[in-house]
Amino acid sequence: MTQKGTRLHVESILIEELVCRTSGDVSQLKMNIHEGLAKSGWKRSLQNEVYCRLLERVNAPSQNGVHIKEPLAYIRRAQASWEKRILKSLNSMCTEMSVPLARKRPIPEQKEIRSNWNELGVDEPDLSLFRPVYGPKDFLDMLTLLKNPNLASEQLCNFWGLLQLPFPVKSLQQLRQEFCEMTLQWSQVGVDGGSHTDIFDAERVGLGQKVMAADNNALCQQYSRRGIPPSLRMQLWLQNVGLRITDSDRLRYEQLKMHVFKHDLLVDKLIYKDVKLTATNDDQYFVFEDFIHQVLLLFSRDTEVLKHFVRSSATPPKSYIRGMLGVSDYAVVYPPNGIIPFHGFSMYVAPLCFVFEDPVTLYYFFREIYTRHFFRLHTISSHPQGIVSLSVLFESLLQACQPQLFYHLRQMGAQPLRIAFKWLMRAFSGYLASDQLLLLWDRVLAYNSLEPLAVLAVAIFAFRRVNLLETSSYAAVEAVMADITTIQVIPLLQVILLTEH
């Protein structure tokens, strides 16, 4: 039953009337249904939904047509071991500081956090004893231990790389074909200078407005491959992922706020400290401290996030109600969204604050892009878009494009992946200038792929090649690669993709 007076109720009545006009003729019934869907606007909505579902199926591993979380047994064991390590670290922190995993806030404290909701950064509790559960370095150290037990070492092709894994990754030629819209014959948003820039920008804005009016997800993705004008980025990103904020979404947002007001979680301290250590210390993002904090507190309570574990190699961590340790009936997912934040997690949110002014839209878009893409950057899996495959892709491309540079760095004990891994794990957030980062994320959404991250990492090493070849120590390499905020993303991607090496 649909509620009377709603748009869906009115449109269902119109469709019902169209169907009733049919006098037993099946072909006429089909025509009337198509006509009703087209007039009501549901035809386009259904097409967009089917398109999104098809994209999900393309990125989902399967065996004999049946979806599976992770096909490789040794990868499953590694992920399970990593999860136990994270949970042990969290529980140790909880025990050492005598802090509960969760507690109900006293009424005065509930009132205080409610009144300070838009000024969460002002209150600075002593969190000196709290430490990040893990960071990019810890995660990379875990990945370097991965070994395929069914493969002899002499069979490995990534012989110079840090990760000795036989994962199939794309060649440079395959990547050129996939990212062909970034060729030099096509102008790109935010790149081209000269006298024709204003004309090109105006044309792109006009075309973008037509794409928005068409409300076609596939068309939007195709348009986005050459970049999105900043004035249209919010609407086109939402259209790209098929996100429409409804009244029920806003109601759910308020409910999540109530959960934050009523209960204090240990991960709240980790979130607060991470925001302080990363976004607040960044000249580009410190002004968004309160927004970032709000989004992450709500995110930690959102059980809708658990749905993405169907497509993830990870399993949500569980804890037990006090006094019921080991009793499965009293096991609960902790935190409620199943995600224990790592050092730098808040930087997934920070750049989005430049795009979305409405906190509700900001929250739901972050949840969408995380459950589509970013969760793969901190889980161990053999998925082509996962952090392991991206790391192998980075190493194989760099060896192919810059063998002399790779060998030089390896001989010094400065494996390139140890420099680039933090860029990949945080999707370059906090390392690039914000405008350049958004241009990069345009392509991630447009191609429905995280592979541009690995390609850009290779391009940056190639760009700094001359300076890197002059280094003689790991510290010197780190110094050369410490600041990449001046990097122009799209020209470097074009160079690495379009130049014969």
Side-chain angles (χ1 to χ4, degrees), residues 140-158:
L140 178 58
D141 289 342
M142 178 67 185
L143 298 187
T144 58
L145 301 177
L146 293 175
K147 295 289 184 291
N148 187 335
N150 302 316
L151 199 66
S153 58
E154 59 268 17
Q155 294 176 281
L156 296 170
C157 58
N158 190 21

Side-chain angles (χ1 to χ4, degrees), residues 209-448:
Q209 289 170 341
K210 292 179 181 179
V211 171
M212 287 164 50
D215 191 25
N216 185 309
N217 289 16
L219 182 63
C220 179
Q221 278 200 333
Q222 186 64 38
Y223 170 84
S224 303
R225 292 183 174 190
R226 292 170 61 193
I228 300 175
S231 60
L232 304 181
R233 184 169 279 129
M234 181 188 74
Q235 297 94 325
L236 289 174
W237 274 14
L238 291 173
Q239 186 173 320
N240 199 311
V241 300
L243 185 61
R244 290 173 175 80
I245 307 302
T246 64
D247 291 339
S248 60
D249 291 328
R250 294 188 180 277
L251 178 60
R252 176 60 178 163
Y253 182 87
E254 294 300 321
Q255 291 172 340
L256 290 172
K257 281 172 64 173
M258 293 304 298
H259 291 318
V260 175
F261 297 158
K262 288 183 178 179
H263 294 93
D264 178 38
L265 306 181
L266 174 62
V267 292
D268 294 350
K269 312 304 193 287
L270 301 179
I271 289 169
Y272 189 95
K273 186 156 189 175
D274 187 58
V275 173
K276 287 292 184 183
L277 290 176
T278 55
T280 306
N281 281 334
D282 193 300
D283 291 342
Q284 301 179 91
Y285 303 119
F286 73 95
V287 294
F288 302 123
E289 178 183 355
D290 295 325
F291 279 138
I292 298 168
H293 203 168
Q294 289 172 7
V295 166
L296 292 176
L297 287 177
L298 299 173
F299 184 70
S300 66
R301 272 90 170 162
D302 195 343
T303 54
E304 285 292 308
V305 178
L306 294 173
K307 292 180 180 178
H308 90 278
F309 282 102
V310 174
R311 296 176 286 112
S312 171
S313 61
T315 303
K318 291 186 177 181
S319 186
Y320 294 90
I321 296 174
R322 184 173 296 178
M324 296 295 177
L325 183 64
V327 182
S328 58
D329 290 344
Y330 292 91
V332 294
V333 173
Y334 181 88
N337 70 345
I339 308 296
I340 297 176
F342 60 87
H343 177 58
F345 190 84
S346 60
M347 296 307 289
Y348 288 152
V349 183
L352 303 179
C353 296
F354 280 108
V355 182
F356 302 98
E357 294 182 3
D358 175 31
V360 180
T361 308
L362 168 65
Y363 173 73
Y364 281 108
F365 185 84
F366 164 68
R367 190 181 76 177
E368 187 68 26
I369 196 174
Y370 176 83
T371 54
R372 278 179 180 238
H373 297 294
F374 291 160
F375 77 92
R376 299 195 186 280
L377 298 178
H378 62 95
T379 54
I380 304 173
S381 78
S382 60
H383 194 280
Q385 299 293 320
I387 187 66
V388 183
S389 292
L390 292 180
S391 299
V392 174
L393 175 62
F394 163 75
E395 290 191 320
S396 66
L397 284 180
L398 189 59
Q399 287 182 62
C401 298
Q402 298 290 335
Q404 181 187 5
L405 174 60
F406 200 114
Y407 184 76
H408 172 75
L409 296 175
R410 181 177 179 272
Q411 288 299 98
M412 288 192 304
Q415 280 282 0
L417 185 58
R418 293 204 177 275
I419 301 293
F421 188 77
K422 58 183 180 292
W423 301 342
L424 300 176
M425 190 171 171
R426 279 172 37 175
F428 280 92
S429 181
Y431 298 105
L432 297 173
S434 58
D435 62 325
Q436 296 300 307
L437 180 68
L438 295 177
L439 289 171
L440 176 62
W441 286 11
D442 281 346
R443 273 68 181 186
V444 168
L445 291 170
Y447 289 97
N448 194 41

Side-chain angles (χ1 to χ4, degrees), residues 6-38:
T6 63
R7 175 173 174 260
L8 180 58
H9 180 258
V10 173
E11 289 169 353
S12 64
I13 292 175
L14 293 174
I15 293 175
E16 184 179 352
E17 291 175 353
L18 283 169
V19 172
C20 290
R21 295 208 311 252
T22 306
S23 55
D25 187 347
V26 176
S27 60
Q28 184 63 37
L29 175 62
K30 288 182 179 179
M31 290 178 61
N32 287 345
I33 290 175
H34 278 292
E35 181 186 348
L37 290 173

